Amino acid sequence: MTGLSSTTPDPYEELLVSPRYLAGVGESGDASFAPIAHWPHHNLGDAPCQLLVTSPDHRIRVGWFGDDFELWKITASEDALAAPRWTATANHLTPPEIVAGLTAALAHDYAESSPFESDVRFLNRPSPYWADAVQPLIDAGWERGGGAERGTIEIIAPDKQAGVVIDNRLHGGDDQTVELWSGPPGWGTRAEILFTARTPSHLVAATAAAMADQAPVKRERHQFDHDLAHLVTLAPVRPTGIARPDPGLPRAPTPLDVRRTSVTQAVHRAAGFPRTAADLRVMAARSRTTSGAQNGSTASAPPRSSSPAVSASSTRRSR
């Protein structure tokens, strides 16, 4: 384990944190939206759900609740107006790189589907075999725990700091039956991802695979919960002995900068589309005025509204 130095550390020093399931949410949820950055983005302002990303046909919805206990709510439906077939939620301590395992699987399923088909993979019935949903954890050496309640199965990570609980008892379709967790018990230390009973097993498995991934994730020092420092390995991104650049000089964009920019641009593009009938009337009036003045030139773009950053607030409502 790597501890912090005795000298005053740079709060913005980039660290590699492993295991990733104890790294926390970091600065933002951008990584979770990267696989679906090309989908329509709906900026909802100060609503509880601040950002909604949907598949083009609106059957898949990924909501970001930046000021809540549950930061992500992900659903899939048979059509845009139908009730969700299944729901997944992830709380305020869940690393977005793990949520990205689920959104990447959804993006793949959607790319392979047709908007006119009801038999699509992201709406499949879950497998009757519980191991299909957690096979990546078993392959990674996670083992069954001995403290599970009757009718449930628990798989525990080798370090005992993460696991999954599968409830095989009879439940309604909207009951939560799979829980991926990491960290010590407590509101400020335990990450949770919950799936309802009809979630396809391959989507749970994709999330579990991202959780078991041994690649570390990057966090700035001030973003990491140091109460968990004794449970993780921390390594500086920049090798020891290499001088840090002058903070006053511009730096080249990092891959994280590029990813954040792509998500932010997608949000701004979504904000540029008309949202109300009044917006459409304004666009039509501008089109007629511009056409008359420029003999058939295209209409100007509608006013662009500001969009919130996809980041977790330091103040959240209690559960």
Side-chain angles (χ1 to χ4, degrees):
M1 302 288 179
T2 302
L4 301 178
S5 65
S6 58
T7 60
T8 302
D10 177 0
Y12 298 100
E13 177 188 9
E14 291 184 323
L15 302 172
L16 294 175
V17 183
S18 60
R20 57 169 48 195
Y21 48 72
L22 294 177
V25 73
E27 181 180 5
S28 72
D30 288 356
S32 65
F33 291 95
I36 52 175
H38 56 293
W39 284 4
H41 286 52
H42 310 275
N43 176 5
L44 304 181
D46 293 331
C49 179
Q50 299 167 6
L51 175 66
L52 180 65
V53 180
T54 68
S55 58
D57 62 5
H58 288 241
R59 287 192 290 177
I60 302 172
R61 305 177 186 90
V62 181
W64 169 262
F65 297 72
D67 295 321
D68 213 338
F69 174 80
E70 293 176 340
L71 291 190
W72 291 269
K73 183 175 182 180
I74 302 171
T75 66
S77 307
E78 294 180 9
D79 60 63
L81 298 178
R85 173 76 65 83
W86 58 264
T87 300
T89 58
N91 78 351
H92 65 298
L93 297 176
T94 304
E97 294 86 354
I98 295 177
V99 180
L102 174 56
T103 57
L106 287 170
H108 179 270
D109 284 359
Y110 186 80
E112 298 295 319
S113 69
S114 166
F116 305 105
E117 295 177 354
S118 58
D119 185 18
V120 291
R121 199 160 184 243
F122 59 82
L123 294 176
N124 279 357
R125 292 179 179 274
S127 169
Y129 305 104
W130 63 264
D132 289 342
V134 295
Q135 191 62 47
L137 303 181
I138 297 173
D139 294 342
W142 296 32
E143 298 180 346
R144 291 187 65 167
E149 296 181 12
R150 185 179 183 85
T152 68
I153 296 165
E154 187 170 26
I155 308 292
I156 303 293
D159 65 358
K160 313 300 182 186
Q161 295 303 319
V164 59
V165 178
I166 303 173
D167 192 337
N168 285 325
R169 294 169 292 192
L170 293 177
H171 291 279
D174 295 330
D175 291 337
Q176 294 170 336
T177 57
V178 178
E179 175 189 351
L180 284 163
W181 62 267
S182 62
W187 184 90
T189 51
R190 173 151 293 189
E192 296 176 347
I193 306 177
L194 303 172
F195 298 90
T196 56
R198 293 182 291 183
T199 306
S201 298
H202 76 279
L203 295 178
V204 179
T207 313
M211 192 168 186
D213 191 336
Q214 296 185 10
V217 295
K218 188 184 297 184
R219 296 288 185 267
E220 293 179 355
R221 186 178 294 275
H222 69 94
Q223 297 167 355
F224 180 71
D225 185 351
H226 295 291
D227 289 339
L228 302 178
H230 65 290
L231 300 174
V232 300
T233 298
L234 303 177
V237 172
R238 184 174 292 101
T240 304
I242 296 181
R244 295 177 60 85
D246 185 341
L249 296 177
R251 60 177 176 82
T254 66
L256 179 60
D257 295 331
V258 174
R259 189 164 62 245
R260 287 174 179 167
T261 299
S262 66
V263 175
T264 301
Q265 289 176 344
V267 173
H268 281 288
R269 286 196 300 272
F273 291 115
R275 302 183 182 280
T276 66
D279 291 336
L280 292 171
R281 287 195 295 272
V282 170
M283 286 185 66
R286 289 183 175 178
S287 177
R288 289 193 297 271
T289 301
T290 306
S291 298
Q294 301 182 6
N295 296 323
S297 62
T298 57
S300 60
R304 303 171 74 91
S305 60
S306 59
S307 59
V310 184
S311 60
S313 170
S314 58
T315 303
R316 298 184 173 89
R317 297 190 291 274
S318 61
R319 194 170 193 174

